[in-house]
Amino acid sequence: GENVEQHPSTLSVQEGDSAVIKCTYSDSASNYFPWYKQELGKRPQLIIDIRSNVGEKKDQRIAVTLNKTAKHFSLHITETQPEDSAVYFCAATSGGYQKVTFGTGTKLQVIP
Amino acid sequence: KAGVTQTPRYLIKTRGQQVTLSCSPISGHRSVSWYQQTPGQGLQFLFEYFSETQRNKGNFPGRFSGRQFSNSRSEMNVSTLELGDSALYLCASSLAKGSTEAFFGQGTRLTVV
């Protein structure tokens, strides 16, 4: 089955700096890669996603890149703000059967 | 439109008991997935239902089961509860037409004592 590895597990950055979280996946059939943000005590919420026919996607301060050959994808947050502090999960989904495999999460702390 | 609703929000059970959790998906969503979230293990996939059929199953023992009704509402059941079953149980619904965004409920916090 699919295996998703996520690094780092914790990340501290100064406000205004950039943060990068990396994930690798094992199933070459995976074709949809969402990123979720989970604030303390709240539900995970989608912040950005990318499909396998696209190499990069950007939404304001957030961007995701995908390298299908190497089977890895990354989340980039620029100009970080304290409200970006949360746990971020990457995930890989294969086919139309919505089998989603999540990474183990990255706890991001943005220091004011 | 209403989001994903999970009930109850909190539950305390004793070892050996069983528990049933409920999830009402977003209207029109036919896929419901369940996850167990613990501090050390992240989000672990339990199972996914679509049109009352279990399509995918994670690596959990048979004590964990689920079902989906014709209105897409889903329940999961855990029998013979163990202390290690204490966790936040999240369900997520999606349209399931290909790979699409999953919307999570607030979760049910289960504590086994």
Side-chain angles (χ1 to χ4, degrees), chain B residues 31-69:
Chain B
S31 169
V32 175
S33 299
W34 288 89
Y35 299 87
Q36 181 193 66
Q37 185 172 33
T38 55
Q41 297 296 320
L43 284 161
Q44 300 289 308
F45 174 77
L46 281 154
F47 25 67
E48 186 251 349
Y49 287 88
F50 178 80
S51 292
E52 302 177 67
T53 300
Q54 185 183 90
R55 294 197 301 190
N56 293 296
K57 190 175 189 306
N59 297 322
F60 278 81
R63 300 185 296 106
F64 292 80
S65 63
R67 59 177 175 169
Q68 186 180 35
F69 302 95

Side-chain angles (χ1 to χ4, degrees), chain A residues 33-88:
Chain A
F33 306 90
W35 285 87
Y36 286 83
K37 174 184 180 182
Q38 187 176 27
E39 296 177 42
L40 190 63
K42 297 189 177 181
R43 71 189 81 189
Q45 292 194 300
L46 181 78
I47 55 170
I48 196 167
D49 56 13
I50 191 167
R51 298 187 184 277
S52 58
N53 58 348
V54 175
E56 184 174 359
K57 184 176 179 180
K58 192 172 181 180
D59 182 4
Q60 298 183 337
R61 297 186 296 109
I62 295 172
V64 58
T65 59
L66 171 65
N67 183 325
K68 284 172 52 181
T69 304
K71 292 188 198 152
H72 67 70
F73 56 114
S74 300
L75 177 71
H76 304 253
I77 306 174
T78 58
E79 300 172 21
T80 53
Q81 301 168 2
E83 52 265 38
D84 294 330
S85 296
V87 178
Y88 292 81

Side-chain angles (χ1 to χ4, degrees), chain A residues 31-32 36 38 41-46 49 51 87 89 93-105, chain B residues 4 31 33 35 37 41-43 45 48 55-58 88 90 94 96 98-106:
Chain A
N31 57 8
Y32 175 64
Y36 286 83
Q38 187 176 27
K42 297 189 177 181
R43 71 189 81 189
Q45 292 194 300
L46 181 78
D49 56 13
R51 298 187 184 277
V87 178
F89 292 95
T93 305
S94 46
Y97 272 18
Q98 208 68 20
K99 182 168 173 60
V100 184
T101 303
F102 282 87
T104 49
Chain B
V4 180
S31 169
S33 299
Y35 299 87
Q37 185 172 33
Q41 297 296 320
L43 284 161
F45 174 77
E48 186 251 349
R55 294 197 301 190
N56 293 296
K57 190 175 189 306
L88 179 67
L90 290 160
S94 71
S99 298
T100 56
E101 178 181 358
F103 293 83
F104 283 86
Q106 291 275 42

